[in-house]
Amino acid sequence: MDRGLSAAIAEVKELRERGDLLLAFDRAQEYLKAWPEAERLKHEGLLALARAGATDHARRRFAEWNLAASTDTHVQALEGRLLKDRALRLTGAARREAFRASGAIYARINEQEPDYYSAINAATVAFLADDSDRSFTLAEGVLANPEI
């Protein structure tokens, strides 16, 4: 990754972390003019949008940018996050289904490249989808494997 792109990603991340969420997204948009294929830059911008509550807009951009096809598991996990955010706004069967869809993404990522974030999110959304057996099994897997 070139130094300019690394600095751009770091700046957007810093803006997001300090709560300047819309500025972070706007800055990511600006930098994407120079690096239109930069998935991590897109990821940071969309994460800022999601944290600002613009989940639907972030989901549309995620799809437009075809980020589900990314090989970067951090980028892939954003789709799970966006579905989880959407599920939190729903009720009943639609809510459970959205949590299941989110969990399937986190589980797939964890199978591909085991790590704590995807594993614990898979367990959490399984619980929120009223699948306590799966949730406990996944959580026990995290506890049994502290190296992830």
Side-chain angles (χ1 to χ4, degrees):
M1 184 179 320
D2 92 26
R3 288 185 91 132
L5 177 55
S6 294
I9 293 168
E11 180 185 347
V12 172
K13 182 177 182 178
E14 180 184 331
L15 288 167
R16 176 181 55 78
E17 288 176 345
R18 76 175 190 220
D20 289 327
L21 302 173
L22 298 179
L23 180 58
F25 179 73
D26 288 345
R27 194 66 47 87
Q29 291 288 99
E30 289 173 29
Y31 287 134
L32 283 168
K33 293 173 186 170
W35 298 285
E37 302 303 316
E39 289 182 348
R40 280 293 180 117
L41 186 55
K42 292 174 182 178
H43 171 268
E44 285 296 332
L46 293 182
L47 189 54
L49 268 186
R51 288 195 178 159
T55 304
D56 292 336
H57 185 79
R59 287 181 67 221
R60 280 192 302 276
R61 287 295 178 98
F62 189 92
E64 286 171 15
W65 290 335
N66 195 29
L67 293 177
S70 175
T71 58
D72 184 330
T73 56
H74 288 92
V75 173
Q76 292 172 16
L78 181 57
E79 184 177 20
R81 156 72 190 267
L82 296 172
L83 285 170
K84 181 173 57 175
D85 288 354
R86 179 176 172 269
L88 289 168
R89 296 191 328 248
L90 300 172
T91 60
R95 180 182 179 109
R96 285 188 298 279
E97 186 53 39
F99 279 131
R100 282 189 196 104
S102 174
I105 291 165
Y106 285 126
R108 183 192 74 230
I109 292 166
N110 194 54
E111 289 171 13
Q112 182 181 339
E113 187 178 306
D115 77 335
Y116 179 81
Y117 180 83
S118 59
I120 203 64
N121 273 292
T124 301
V125 295
F127 181 79
L128 294 170
D130 293 331
D131 190 349
S132 58
D133 290 341
R134 178 159 171 72
S135 175
F136 293 135
T137 299
L138 291 166
E140 286 172 342
V142 172
L143 294 172
N145 190 2
E147 295 174 13
I148 62 170

